[in-house]
Amino acid sequence: MQRLVRISALLLLLWLPSPSEPAWRFVAGVVKDASGNALKASVVQLENEFDLSVRSYITGADGRYHFSGVSYDIDFTLKARYKKYWSNTKELSKFSSAAHPEIDLVIPID
């Protein structure tokens, strides 16, 4: 009987998911113009490809943005707008294992 209890406990431990990977990640980057200069007051949009919800961030003087609480299990797209100009869209894949990806966005203006 004791042996059966030990085997059952071992199987239960093997079945439980391991806490090796955090559930959330942090995404950051810089919005730049074509010459590589930071663009302050740009709007960065992070779109959840599963439910199409959008989160926004307005960059500071250094052109940096960041989003926390980004799920590993969902694909996201990022794009930035400065005045009437848009960057190309970049993808953050659920297959990327980076815990703190840095994704810079370039808006094609000089």
Side-chain angles (χ1 to χ4, degrees), residues 18 23 61 72-73 76 81 83 95 100 104-105:
S18 79
Y72 277 94
D73 298 331
F76 291 88
R81 180 176 50 90
K83 297 184 180 179
F95 297 110
H100 301 290
D104 292 344
L105 299 166

Side-chain angles (χ1 to χ4, degrees), residues 12 24 29-30 32 44 49 67 88 90 96-97 99 103 106-107:
L12 181 62
W24 308 105
V30 179
K32 303 175 184 179
V44 179
E49 293 296 311
F67 295 98
N88 287 333
K90 296 233 179 150
S96 169
S97 61
I103 302 174
V106 177
I107 296 179

